[in-house]
Amino acid sequence: MTLFLFKTIIAGMVISFCSWLSGKRPDLAGFLLALPVASLIALAFSYSEHKDIQATIAFAKSIFVAVPVSFFFFVPFLLAGKLHLSFWQSYSAGLGMLVIGFFIHKTILTLI
């Protein structure tokens, strides 16, 4: 339980810091969040907890495929001006794009 709380606090601090920073330096906050910071933390935590290199490698492969697929979330935001979408319309459409992205992710993982 202590390890779970520690991991939750660390992850929450990273997200909270980037959220706070976005009000002052959105360019820097976006860059930091785009770094694989969460992946670095999660991979280290996963291996430390389970000591299973094969599971960690599978986890890393999944992240590798998921990162570019997760960009689908941002497509509605890129088109928001042309399509006159509100924030919530863009956000909802982005979540829908992630559902499509999940199936693409799943398909690619079966191929590698």
Side-chain angles (χ1 to χ4, degrees):
M1 184 65 162
T2 303
L3 180 60
F4 174 78
L5 290 175
F6 174 73
K7 294 187 302 186
T8 302
I9 290 168
I10 295 297
M13 287 173 55
V14 169
I15 292 167
S16 295
F17 175 74
C18 287
S19 176
W20 169 81
L21 187 60
S22 71
K24 299 180 182 323
R25 293 281 312 275
D27 57 330
L28 180 57
F31 179 77
L32 289 175
L33 205 54
L35 293 173
V37 174
S39 298
L40 291 167
I41 293 169
L43 282 167
F45 283 165
S46 175
Y47 183 74
S48 295
E49 186 173 349
H50 305 292
K51 303 285 192 253
D52 184 347
I53 187 66
Q54 294 307 317
T56 304
I57 289 170
F59 186 26
K61 284 181 183 180
S62 178
I63 294 167
F64 179 78
V65 173
V67 167
V69 171
S70 70
F71 292 156
F72 287 173
F73 173 78
F74 298 102
V75 170
F77 288 96
L78 295 173
L79 301 174
K82 289 186 180 196
L83 299 176
H84 306 290
L85 300 174
S86 70
F87 168 79
W88 290 112
Q89 288 171 321
S90 298
Y91 192 84
S92 298
L95 291 175
M97 296 292 286
L98 283 177
V99 171
I100 294 167
F102 171 75
F103 290 105
I104 293 169
H105 170 265
K106 189 173 176 180
T107 301
I108 292 171
L109 281 178
T110 62
L111 300 174
I112 60 171

